Amino acid sequence: METKRAKIVACKPLPNYHIWIRFDDGLEGKVDLNHLVGKGVFEAWNSIEFFNEVRVDPKSDTVAWGEDIDLDPYVLREKIEALRGTTKDSSQNT
């Protein structure tokens, strides 16, 4: 089974701890990160100003905040695909 590369090329913060991201193959969508706020390193997101500083890290090709927080692009991709109903699993159920 082939795994798609997950390279994020654009992102922007949205209200209520959501982010919009776009992958290099054109897949894009919103991801809800509310469940992480205030936990462990994500305590930094208690400052909405810090959360709004989300950027694409050119070394890891994923979303990042400061030097200590980044998210797995494969997990983010799966979340967007699940919302769109385009996961590998759903395509195999035909």
Side-chain angles (χ1 to χ4, degrees):
M1 192 179 293
E2 188 176 318
T3 302
K4 291 182 184 179
R5 191 174 97 215
K7 179 180 180 182
I8 296 174
V9 296
C11 68
K12 65 180 176 182
L14 299 172
N16 301 316
Y17 296 100
H18 288 67
I19 58 171
W20 169 87
I21 55 178
R22 181 185 314 131
F23 291 89
D24 65 339
D25 65 356
L27 178 71
E28 62 182 67
K30 298 176 191 176
V31 179
D32 180 355
L33 301 174
N34 251 312
H35 64 287
L36 298 174
V37 178
K39 298 178 182 174
V41 297
F42 302 109
E43 245 183 73
W45 290 353
N46 287 332
S47 163
I48 194 66
E49 291 82 15
F50 183 73
F51 180 83
N52 287 339
E53 292 176 8
V54 63
R55 62 183 170 76
V56 176
D57 183 314
K59 293 178 188 171
S60 62
D61 295 323
T62 192
V63 292
W65 292 262
E67 296 297 318
D68 297 324
I69 302 174
D70 62 11
L71 299 177
D72 185 328
Y74 292 95
V75 172
L76 296 171
R77 183 178 186 90
E78 285 178 7
K79 286 182 179 286
I80 291 171
E81 288 177 337
L83 287 172
R84 293 175 164 237
T86 58
T87 61
K88 288 179 268 183
D89 292 336
S90 67
S91 65
Q92 293 174 353
N93 291 332
T94 56

